[in-house]
Amino acid sequence: MNQPYETPFTASAPGLAAATHEVLNQAASANGFNAFDGDEALRELVGKIAPWATGKCSALGALAGNETLQDAARLANEFEPRLRTHDRFGHRTDWVEFHPAWHQLMAAAFGHEVHSLAWTTQNGKGHFARAALSYLWNQVENGVGCPTGMAYAAVAGFTGKPPLEAWRQRTLAADYDPRRLPIEQKRAAVIGYAMTEKQGGSDLRQTQTTAEFTGSGTDGDTYSITGHKWFCSVPVADGFYTLAQTRSGVSCLFVPRFRPDGSQNNFFIQRLKDKCGNRSNASSEIEYRDTWSMLVGEEGRGIREILSHAHLTRLDFAVGSAGLMRQALTLAINHAQTRTAFGKPMSELPMQCNVLADLAIDSEAAMLGAMRVARAVDGMASSEHENLLSRVATPAMKYWNCQRAPVFVYECVQVHGGNGFIMENPVARLYREAPLNSIWEGSSNMMCMDVLRAMDKDGRCRDALVEELWLHRGANAAYDRFIDDLAGHLARSYPHDGHARMLVTRIALALQAGEMLAHGTLEAAELFIASRLESNGLPVFGALPDSQALPAIVRRAAVIGH
Ligand SMILES: Cc1cc2nc3c(=O)[nH]c(=O)nc-3n(C[C@H](O)[C@H](O)[C@H](O)COP(=O)(O)OP(=O)(O)OC[C@H]3O[C@@H](n4cnc5c(N)ncnc54)[C@H](O)[C@@H]3O)c2cc1C
């Protein structure tokens, strides 16, 4: 569903001349570009792996540079969602009102299949192609990345469960239908997840909410839920996966907004969270009281069910953080190329050039690492190697990209100087957004523990990881030394939890380096290896070794042509 986007407000339209001075040397506005067509690294990768997706990526990439959508992103974050618990007659509505810009963004993302392409394409490499869309969408507006990511993962829970077939179909629609109606009357569905309670989000075994069995029928086994959730994003969704204690332990249930008889279900929004970032998106606290729900999967195996969906959201946040970094980089390069200092474009000042080149290789490595995980997810069903690799590489890349994004964006803010710290500059919004992905869908520590757990439980996961790293052996001596050392370390023993972060950081960097050798330019791959694997210290950005290649690396990473 491609829509024309018109520009009601154009920043580039002529403004009034300032009375006291001429406005000089402000950076050019970053719009009118295509985040796919202009991104050599991504374009080349999609061309190799899923060339059929090029047109879809290009259509979505145009939105990142579209001034109207950029303005919609600003408006949706400035005019925040408002809770409406009741209508004016006193009936409970438990609804949230949004600025029209939010709906415009949702329609654009869902219309461009950011949530669904993995499941609907017949062309193969669907998870990879969808990941490319998500990477591009995360350069438009991150708040909407939450509902698209949840809808993507939700399909895994609907598939093969006949009572949930209508939900599967509507979740897959390339459409957005924000009406508050029972699912049968809607063209498309939005899905939420409500797991986290006050007493703990990482340790879901602590779930206090309870569910009582009420019967079996065409909706499968049904339950009545009572309790609360401390975090529930997108509380206007049509249905929610949730966790509750049943007679057999923590179970996964699905709560539709309306009961099968068409009456409103007991889904009470207590208040909206006042968040550091992600302000366009509503996140809430909710309560259930005798709430109608359907069992998903086996009773008592709810955490296992949810984790099978989380595998996909974790991939999506590895991709999402890479996209966020890419947007920050695009803004930083644009700024530095179009503002001068000391007689030169700032991008040509040697130290700034080193910073930008360093950011560029980090961004490319983040994208390539995340897209490698997406390919592993595509191969999970047909290849043992891909299946085993994905169990280690997904949490490793979720950890590392999400961990890296805040410090990366901080550096991009610095490139902008004072302008970067002002909220009307999109890079300031990215700075507030960047830490979130390392918290939800499995925090950094939980991801590191997951990597250890996967290798502890099944030694073949470790073997698949080492095999993967060995594929790129022989191209760079420092890379070879690093992976030999890492493989030796993995063969001897794993650290206990207390030291997992360093090991998982090394695993993530090795995976990224391998992908840089396979798909990046030789100069960028060598610099990545020299500065990340050899130095063993991850110094500050801007500490790349001397190289003639730095200006060319910055130019290759510039999405906007000047
Ligand atoms: C904006 C926003 C929106 C959200 N939306 C949703 C939503 O829609 N649905 C939903 O269910 N949840 C949602 N969440 C909640 C999110 O998933 C949780 O915050 C997250 O899972 C962490 O749980 P917690 O906050 O209880 O932290 P805790 O579990 O208390 O963890 C705190 C810290 O301790 C660390 N830690 C915990 N256990 C260990 C361990 N064994 N070893 C080492 N370190 C450990 C964690 O890594 C973390 O750094 C949202 C959160 C935010 C901020």
Short mmCIF file of all heavy atoms in Angstrom, two decimals, residues 481-540:
data_model
loop_
_atom_site.label_atom_id
_atom_site.label_comp_id
_atom_site.label_asym_id
_atom_site.label_seq_id
_atom_site.Cartn_x
_atom_site.Cartn_y
_atom_site.Cartn_z
N ARG A 481 44.04 -14.87 14.15
CA ARG A 481 44.58 -15.00 15.53
C ARG A 481 43.44 -14.86 16.55
O ARG A 481 43.35 -15.61 17.52
CB ARG A 481 45.63 -13.91 15.80
CG ARG A 481 47.01 -14.20 15.23
CD ARG A 481 48.06 -13.28 15.83
NE ARG A 481 47.81 -11.87 15.56
CZ ARG A 481 48.16 -11.25 14.43
NH1 ARG A 481 48.77 -11.92 13.47
NH2 ARG A 481 47.92 -9.96 14.26
N PHE A 482 42.58 -13.90 16.29
CA PHE A 482 41.50 -13.63 17.25
C PHE A 482 40.56 -14.82 17.36
O PHE A 482 40.20 -15.25 18.46
CB PHE A 482 40.72 -12.37 16.80
CG PHE A 482 39.70 -11.89 17.80
CD1 PHE A 482 40.07 -11.06 18.85
CD2 PHE A 482 38.38 -12.27 17.69
CE1 PHE A 482 39.14 -10.62 19.78
CE2 PHE A 482 37.42 -11.82 18.61
CZ PHE A 482 37.81 -11.00 19.65
N ILE A 483 40.16 -15.38 16.22
CA ILE A 483 39.19 -16.48 16.31
C ILE A 483 39.85 -17.77 16.82
O ILE A 483 39.20 -18.57 17.49
CB ILE A 483 38.40 -16.72 14.99
CG1 ILE A 483 39.32 -17.09 13.85
CG2 ILE A 483 37.49 -15.56 14.66
CD1 ILE A 483 38.56 -17.70 12.68
N ASP A 484 41.15 -17.94 16.55
CA ASP A 484 41.84 -19.11 17.13
C ASP A 484 41.82 -19.01 18.65
O ASP A 484 41.55 -19.98 19.35
CB ASP A 484 43.30 -19.16 16.65
CG ASP A 484 43.38 -19.65 15.20
OD1 ASP A 484 42.34 -20.11 14.68
OD2 ASP A 484 44.46 -19.53 14.59
N ASP A 485 42.11 -17.81 19.12
CA ASP A 485 42.15 -17.60 20.57
C ASP A 485 40.75 -17.80 21.17
O ASP A 485 40.59 -18.47 22.19
CB ASP A 485 42.65 -16.17 20.85
CG ASP A 485 42.82 -15.93 22.32
OD1 ASP A 485 43.65 -16.63 22.91
OD2 ASP A 485 42.11 -15.07 22.88
N LEU A 486 39.75 -17.25 20.48
CA LEU A 486 38.37 -17.37 20.97
C LEU A 486 37.92 -18.84 20.96
O LEU A 486 37.33 -19.33 21.94
CB LEU A 486 37.44 -16.52 20.09
CG LEU A 486 35.96 -16.51 20.42
CD1 LEU A 486 35.71 -15.96 21.83
CD2 LEU A 486 35.18 -15.65 19.40
N ALA A 487 38.23 -19.53 19.87
CA ALA A 487 37.84 -20.94 19.77
C ALA A 487 38.51 -21.76 20.87
O ALA A 487 37.90 -22.64 21.50
CB ALA A 487 38.19 -21.50 18.40
N GLY A 488 39.79 -21.46 21.13
CA GLY A 488 40.52 -22.16 22.19
C GLY A 488 39.86 -21.92 23.54
O GLY A 488 39.66 -22.85 24.33
N HIS A 489 39.48 -20.69 23.76
CA HIS A 489 38.84 -20.30 25.01
C HIS A 489 37.51 -21.06 25.17
O HIS A 489 37.22 -21.60 26.24
CB HIS A 489 38.59 -18.79 24.94
CG HIS A 489 38.15 -18.20 26.22
ND1 HIS A 489 39.04 -17.89 27.22
CD2 HIS A 489 36.94 -17.85 26.67
CE1 HIS A 489 38.38 -17.37 28.23
NE2 HIS A 489 37.10 -17.34 27.93
N LEU A 490 36.74 -21.11 24.08
CA LEU A 490 35.43 -21.78 24.14
C LEU A 490 35.60 -23.29 24.36
O LEU A 490 34.78 -23.93 25.01
CB LEU A 490 34.63 -21.54 22.85
CG LEU A 490 34.14 -20.11 22.63
CD1 LEU A 490 33.52 -19.96 21.25
CD2 LEU A 490 33.12 -19.73 23.70
N ALA A 491 36.67 -23.84 23.81
CA ALA A 491 36.89 -25.29 23.95
C ALA A 491 37.28 -25.65 25.38
O ALA A 491 36.95 -26.73 25.87
CB ALA A 491 37.98 -25.74 22.97
N ARG A 492 38.00 -24.73 26.04
CA ARG A 492 38.49 -25.05 27.40
C ARG A 492 37.35 -24.97 28.41
O ARG A 492 37.02 -25.92 29.08
CB ARG A 492 39.61 -24.09 27.79
CG ARG A 492 40.96 -24.46 27.17
CD ARG A 492 42.10 -23.69 27.80
NE ARG A 492 41.92 -22.24 27.72
CZ ARG A 492 42.23 -21.51 26.66
NH1 ARG A 492 42.73 -22.09 25.57
NH2 ARG A 492 42.07 -20.20 26.66
N SER A 493 36.72 -23.80 28.50
CA SER A 493 35.67 -23.64 29.51
C SER A 493 34.93 -22.34 29.24
O SER A 493 35.42 -21.47 28.52
CB SER A 493 36.29 -23.54 30.90
OG SER A 493 37.04 -22.35 30.97
N TYR A 494 33.76 -22.21 29.79
CA TYR A 494 33.04 -20.94 29.71
C TYR A 494 33.17 -20.26 31.06
O TYR A 494 33.23 -20.91 32.09
CB TYR A 494 31.54 -21.15 29.43
CG TYR A 494 31.29 -22.01 28.23
CD1 TYR A 494 30.36 -23.04 28.28
CD2 TYR A 494 31.99 -21.81 27.05
CE1 TYR A 494 30.13 -23.83 27.18
CE2 TYR A 494 31.78 -22.60 25.94
CZ TYR A 494 30.85 -23.62 26.02
OH TYR A 494 30.63 -24.40 24.94
N PRO A 495 33.15 -18.94 31.04
CA PRO A 495 33.19 -18.24 32.33
C PRO A 495 31.84 -18.42 33.00
O PRO A 495 30.85 -18.74 32.36
CB PRO A 495 33.39 -16.78 31.92
CG PRO A 495 32.84 -16.68 30.54
CD PRO A 495 33.04 -18.02 29.90
N HIS A 496 31.79 -18.23 34.30
CA HIS A 496 30.48 -18.18 34.94
C HIS A 496 29.87 -16.83 34.60
O HIS A 496 30.53 -15.95 34.03
CB HIS A 496 30.60 -18.44 36.45
CG HIS A 496 31.47 -17.47 37.15
ND1 HIS A 496 31.04 -16.22 37.52
CD2 HIS A 496 32.78 -17.54 37.50
CE1 HIS A 496 32.04 -15.57 38.10
NE2 HIS A 496 33.10 -16.35 38.09
N ASP A 497 28.59 -16.66 34.97
CA ASP A 497 27.86 -15.45 34.63
C ASP A 497 28.65 -14.16 34.82
O ASP A 497 28.56 -13.23 34.04
CB ASP A 497 26.65 -15.28 35.57
CG ASP A 497 25.57 -16.26 35.24
OD1 ASP A 497 25.79 -17.07 34.33
OD2 ASP A 497 24.53 -16.20 35.92
N GLY A 498 29.40 -14.12 35.92
CA GLY A 498 30.08 -12.89 36.32
C GLY A 498 31.00 -12.33 35.25
O GLY A 498 31.31 -11.15 35.25
N HIS A 499 31.48 -13.19 34.33
CA HIS A 499 32.40 -12.71 33.30
C HIS A 499 31.85 -12.90 31.89
O HIS A 499 32.60 -12.85 30.92
CB HIS A 499 33.76 -13.42 33.44
CG HIS A 499 34.46 -13.07 34.70
ND1 HIS A 499 34.38 -13.84 35.83
CD2 HIS A 499 35.19 -11.98 35.03
CE1 HIS A 499 35.06 -13.26 36.80
NE2 HIS A 499 35.55 -12.13 36.35
N ALA A 500 30.55 -13.08 31.78
CA ALA A 500 29.98 -13.41 30.47
C ALA A 500 30.07 -12.26 29.49
O ALA A 500 30.21 -12.47 28.29
CB ALA A 500 28.53 -13.85 30.64
N ARG A 501 29.98 -11.03 29.98
CA ARG A 501 29.91 -9.91 29.04
C ARG A 501 31.13 -9.83 28.12
O ARG A 501 31.00 -9.56 26.94
CB ARG A 501 29.77 -8.59 29.79
CG ARG A 501 28.33 -8.29 30.15
CD ARG A 501 28.19 -6.85 30.52
NE ARG A 501 26.82 -6.54 30.86
CZ ARG A 501 26.28 -5.34 30.72
NH1 ARG A 501 27.01 -4.35 30.25
NH2 ARG A 501 25.03 -5.13 31.05
N MET A 502 32.31 -10.04 28.69
CA MET A 502 33.52 -9.90 27.86
C MET A 502 33.54 -10.99 26.78
O MET A 502 33.85 -10.72 25.62
CB MET A 502 34.76 -9.98 28.76
CG MET A 502 35.96 -9.26 28.18
SD MET A 502 35.57 -7.58 27.65
CE MET A 502 36.30 -7.58 26.03
N LEU A 503 33.19 -12.21 27.19
CA LEU A 503 33.18 -13.30 26.21
C LEU A 503 32.16 -13.02 25.10
O LEU A 503 32.46 -13.18 23.91
CB LEU A 503 32.84 -14.64 26.90
CG LEU A 503 32.74 -15.81 25.93
CD1 LEU A 503 34.12 -16.19 25.39
CD2 LEU A 503 32.08 -17.02 26.59
N VAL A 504 30.97 -12.59 25.47
CA VAL A 504 29.92 -12.39 24.45
C VAL A 504 30.27 -11.18 23.57
O VAL A 504 29.98 -11.18 22.37
CB VAL A 504 28.53 -12.27 25.11
CG1 VAL A 504 27.45 -12.04 24.07
CG2 VAL A 504 28.22 -13.54 25.91
N THR A 505 30.91 -10.19 24.15
CA THR A 505 31.38 -9.07 23.33
C THR A 505 32.35 -9.58 22.26
O THR A 505 32.26 -9.21 21.08
CB THR A 505 32.08 -8.00 24.21
OG1 THR A 505 31.15 -7.55 25.19
CG2 THR A 505 32.55 -6.81 23.39
N ARG A 506 33.25 -10.46 22.66
CA ARG A 506 34.23 -10.99 21.70
C ARG A 506 33.54 -11.83 20.62
O ARG A 506 33.91 -11.78 19.45
CB ARG A 506 35.31 -11.80 22.42
CG ARG A 506 36.17 -10.92 23.34
CD ARG A 506 37.20 -11.75 24.08
NE ARG A 506 38.31 -12.14 23.23
CZ ARG A 506 38.99 -13.28 23.33
NH1 ARG A 506 38.65 -14.17 24.26
NH2 ARG A 506 39.98 -13.56 22.53
N ILE A 507 32.54 -12.59 21.04
CA ILE A 507 31.79 -13.41 20.06
C ILE A 507 31.11 -12.48 19.05
O ILE A 507 31.18 -12.70 17.83
CB ILE A 507 30.75 -14.30 20.77
CG1 ILE A 507 31.46 -15.41 21.56
CG2 ILE A 507 29.73 -14.88 19.79
CD1 ILE A 507 30.53 -16.25 22.44
N ALA A 508 30.45 -11.44 19.56
CA ALA A 508 29.71 -10.53 18.66
C ALA A 508 30.67 -9.82 17.71
O ALA A 508 30.41 -9.71 16.50
CB ALA A 508 28.92 -9.52 19.49
N LEU A 509 31.80 -9.36 18.24
CA LEU A 509 32.77 -8.66 17.38
C LEU A 509 33.34 -9.60 16.33
O LEU A 509 33.56 -9.21 15.18
CB LEU A 509 33.90 -8.08 18.24
CG LEU A 509 33.53 -6.85 19.07
CD1 LEU A 509 34.66 -6.48 20.03
CD2 LEU A 509 33.20 -5.66 18.17
N ALA A 510 33.59 -10.86 16.72
CA ALA A 510 34.13 -11.82 15.75
C ALA A 510 33.10 -12.08 14.63
O ALA A 510 33.46 -12.13 13.45
CB ALA A 510 34.49 -13.12 16.46
N LEU A 511 31.82 -12.21 15.01
CA LEU A 511 30.79 -12.42 13.99
C LEU A 511 30.71 -11.21 13.06
O LEU A 511 30.61 -11.35 11.83
CB LEU A 511 29.43 -12.65 14.66
CG LEU A 511 29.21 -14.04 15.27
CD1 LEU A 511 27.99 -14.05 16.20
CD2 LEU A 511 29.02 -15.09 14.17
N GLN A 512 30.77 -10.03 13.64
CA GLN A 512 30.70 -8.81 12.81
C GLN A 512 31.92 -8.73 11.89
O GLN A 512 31.81 -8.39 10.71
CB GLN A 512 30.62 -7.57 13.68
CG GLN A 512 29.28 -7.43 14.40
CD GLN A 512 29.13 -6.10 15.13
OE1 GLN A 512 30.12 -5.41 15.39
NE2 GLN A 512 27.91 -5.75 15.47
N ALA A 513 33.10 -9.06 12.44
CA ALA A 513 34.32 -8.98 11.62
C ALA A 513 34.23 -9.96 10.45
O ALA A 513 34.61 -9.62 9.32
CB ALA A 513 35.54 -9.28 12.49
N GLY A 514 33.72 -11.16 10.71
CA GLY A 514 33.56 -12.15 9.63
C GLY A 514 32.65 -11.61 8.53
O GLY A 514 32.94 -11.75 7.33
N GLU A 515 31.57 -10.97 8.94
CA GLU A 515 30.64 -10.41 7.94
C GLU A 515 31.27 -9.24 7.20
O GLU A 515 31.02 -9.05 6.01
CB GLU A 515 29.33 -9.97 8.63
CG GLU A 515 28.50 -11.13 9.12
CD GLU A 515 28.16 -12.12 8.00
OE1 GLU A 515 27.42 -11.75 7.08
OE2 GLU A 515 28.67 -13.26 8.05
N MET A 516 32.10 -8.45 7.90
CA MET A 516 32.79 -7.35 7.22
C MET A 516 33.75 -7.91 6.16
O MET A 516 33.86 -7.37 5.07
CB MET A 516 33.58 -6.50 8.23
CG MET A 516 32.72 -5.64 9.14
SD MET A 516 31.90 -4.26 8.31
CE MET A 516 33.20 -3.05 8.20
N LEU A 517 34.44 -9.02 6.51
CA LEU A 517 35.35 -9.63 5.52
C LEU A 517 34.57 -10.17 4.33
O LEU A 517 35.02 -10.08 3.19
CB LEU A 517 36.15 -10.76 6.17
CG LEU A 517 37.28 -10.32 7.11
CD1 LEU A 517 37.83 -11.52 7.89
CD2 LEU A 517 38.41 -9.62 6.33
N ALA A 518 33.39 -10.69 4.60
CA ALA A 518 32.62 -11.30 3.51
C ALA A 518 31.92 -10.25 2.65
O ALA A 518 31.79 -10.44 1.44
CB ALA A 518 31.57 -12.26 4.10
N HIS A 519 31.46 -9.16 3.26
CA HIS A 519 30.59 -8.24 2.51
C HIS A 519 31.03 -6.79 2.48
O HIS A 519 30.48 -6.00 1.72
CB HIS A 519 29.16 -8.29 3.10
CG HIS A 519 28.56 -9.65 3.09
ND1 HIS A 519 28.20 -10.31 1.94
CD2 HIS A 519 28.26 -10.51 4.11
CE1 HIS A 519 27.70 -11.50 2.24
NE2 HIS A 519 27.74 -11.65 3.55
N GLY A 520 31.95 -6.41 3.36
CA GLY A 520 32.35 -4.99 3.40
C GLY A 520 33.48 -4.72 2.42
O GLY A 520 33.94 -5.63 1.72
N THR A 521 33.96 -3.48 2.38
CA THR A 521 35.16 -3.22 1.58
C THR A 521 36.36 -3.73 2.38
O THR A 521 36.31 -3.81 3.62
CB THR A 521 35.35 -1.70 1.33
OG1 THR A 521 35.53 -1.06 2.59
CG2 THR A 521 34.17 -1.10 0.60
N LEU A 522 37.43 -4.07 1.68
CA LEU A 522 38.61 -4.63 2.36
C LEU A 522 39.17 -3.62 3.37
O LEU A 522 39.52 -3.98 4.50
CB LEU A 522 39.67 -5.00 1.31
CG LEU A 522 40.89 -5.70 1.90
CD1 LEU A 522 40.51 -7.02 2.57
CD2 LEU A 522 41.94 -5.94 0.82
N GLU A 523 39.22 -2.34 2.96
CA GLU A 523 39.80 -1.31 3.85
C GLU A 523 39.00 -1.22 5.14
O GLU A 523 39.56 -1.17 6.24
CB GLU A 523 39.79 0.07 3.18
CG GLU A 523 40.70 0.21 1.98
CD GLU A 523 40.05 -0.32 0.71
OE1 GLU A 523 38.87 -0.71 0.74
OE2 GLU A 523 40.75 -0.35 -0.32
N ALA A 524 37.65 -1.20 5.02
CA ALA A 524 36.81 -1.05 6.21
C ALA A 524 36.94 -2.29 7.09
O ALA A 524 37.03 -2.19 8.33
CB ALA A 524 35.35 -0.83 5.80
N ALA A 525 36.98 -3.47 6.47
CA ALA A 525 37.11 -4.71 7.25
C ALA A 525 38.43 -4.72 8.01
O ALA A 525 38.48 -5.06 9.20
CB ALA A 525 37.01 -5.92 6.33
N GLU A 526 39.50 -4.31 7.33
CA GLU A 526 40.82 -4.31 8.00
C GLU A 526 40.86 -3.32 9.16
O GLU A 526 41.40 -3.61 10.22
CB GLU A 526 41.91 -3.99 6.98
CG GLU A 526 42.22 -5.20 6.10
CD GLU A 526 43.22 -4.90 5.00
OE1 GLU A 526 43.53 -3.71 4.77
OE2 GLU A 526 43.68 -5.88 4.36
N LEU A 527 40.25 -2.16 8.96
CA LEU A 527 40.24 -1.16 10.04
C LEU A 527 39.38 -1.64 11.20
O LEU A 527 39.70 -1.43 12.37
CB LEU A 527 39.72 0.18 9.51
CG LEU A 527 40.74 0.96 8.65
CD1 LEU A 527 40.06 2.08 7.88
CD2 LEU A 527 41.87 1.51 9.52
N PHE A 528 38.27 -2.29 10.88
CA PHE A 528 37.40 -2.83 11.94
C PHE A 528 38.19 -3.83 12.78
O PHE A 528 38.18 -3.79 14.01
CB PHE A 528 36.16 -3.50 11.32
CG PHE A 528 35.18 -4.01 12.35
CD1 PHE A 528 34.20 -3.18 12.88
CD2 PHE A 528 35.25 -5.33 12.79
CE1 PHE A 528 33.31 -3.65 13.85
CE2 PHE A 528 34.37 -5.81 13.76
CZ PHE A 528 33.38 -4.96 14.28
N ILE A 529 38.89 -4.73 12.09
CA ILE A 529 39.65 -5.77 12.80
C ILE A 529 40.79 -5.15 13.61
O ILE A 529 41.00 -5.49 14.78
CB ILE A 529 40.15 -6.83 11.79
CG1 ILE A 529 38.95 -7.62 11.26
CG2 ILE A 529 41.19 -7.75 12.43
CD1 ILE A 529 39.22 -8.40 9.99
N ALA A 530 41.49 -4.20 13.00
CA ALA A 530 42.63 -3.58 13.71
C ALA A 530 42.15 -2.84 14.96
O ALA A 530 42.81 -2.88 16.00
CB ALA A 530 43.35 -2.62 12.77
N SER A 531 41.00 -2.18 14.87
CA SER A 531 40.58 -1.34 16.00
C SER A 531 39.71 -2.08 17.00
O SER A 531 39.64 -1.69 18.15
CB SER A 531 39.82 -0.12 15.47
OG SER A 531 38.73 -0.55 14.67
N ARG A 532 39.03 -3.14 16.59
CA ARG A 532 38.14 -3.85 17.52
C ARG A 532 38.73 -5.17 18.01
O ARG A 532 38.58 -5.51 19.18
CB ARG A 532 36.79 -4.17 16.86
CG ARG A 532 35.75 -3.08 16.96
CD ARG A 532 36.05 -1.92 16.07
NE ARG A 532 34.97 -0.94 16.04
CZ ARG A 532 35.12 0.28 15.56
NH1 ARG A 532 36.29 0.69 15.09
NH2 ARG A 532 34.11 1.11 15.54
N LEU A 533 39.36 -5.93 17.13
CA LEU A 533 39.85 -7.24 17.55
C LEU A 533 41.29 -7.15 18.07
O LEU A 533 41.63 -7.76 19.06
CB LEU A 533 39.79 -8.25 16.41
CG LEU A 533 38.44 -8.46 15.69
CD1 LEU A 533 38.48 -9.72 14.83
CD2 LEU A 533 37.28 -8.51 16.64
N GLU A 534 42.12 -6.38 17.37
CA GLU A 534 43.54 -6.34 17.76
C GLU A 534 43.77 -5.50 18.99
O GLU A 534 44.53 -5.87 19.86
CB GLU A 534 44.37 -5.79 16.60
CG GLU A 534 44.82 -6.86 15.65
CD GLU A 534 45.93 -6.36 14.75
OE1 GLU A 534 45.77 -5.29 14.13
OE2 GLU A 534 46.97 -7.04 14.68
N SER A 535 43.10 -4.35 19.05
CA SER A 535 43.39 -3.43 20.16
C SER A 535 42.86 -4.01 21.46
O SER A 535 43.35 -3.70 22.53
CB SER A 535 42.76 -2.08 19.91
OG SER A 535 41.39 -2.15 20.19
N ASN A 536 41.81 -4.85 21.34
CA ASN A 536 41.24 -5.52 22.50
C ASN A 536 40.76 -4.55 23.57
O ASN A 536 40.60 -4.90 24.72
CB ASN A 536 42.27 -6.49 23.12
CG ASN A 536 41.57 -7.70 23.70
OD1 ASN A 536 40.39 -7.91 23.43
ND2 ASN A 536 42.27 -8.47 24.50
N GLY A 537 40.56 -3.30 23.20
CA GLY A 537 40.18 -2.35 24.24
C GLY A 537 38.99 -1.48 23.86
O GLY A 537 38.54 -0.68 24.66
N LEU A 538 38.47 -1.62 22.62
CA LEU A 538 37.38 -0.78 22.15
C LEU A 538 37.57 0.67 22.59
O LEU A 538 36.86 1.17 23.45
CB LEU A 538 36.03 -1.29 22.67
CG LEU A 538 35.53 -2.55 21.99
CD1 LEU A 538 34.30 -3.05 22.69
CD2 LEU A 538 35.25 -2.30 20.54
N PRO A 539 38.56 1.33 22.03
CA PRO A 539 38.81 2.70 22.46
C PRO A 539 37.67 3.61 22.03
O PRO A 539 36.73 3.16 21.41
CB PRO A 539 40.09 3.06 21.70
CG PRO A 539 40.06 2.19 20.48
CD PRO A 539 39.38 0.93 20.89
N VAL A 540 37.77 4.88 22.34
CA VAL A 540 36.73 5.84 21.94
C VAL A 540 36.67 5.89 20.42
O VAL A 540 37.61 5.52 19.73
CB VAL A 540 37.05 7.25 22.47
CG1 VAL A 540 36.92 7.28 23.98
CG2 VAL A 540 38.42 7.72 22.00
#
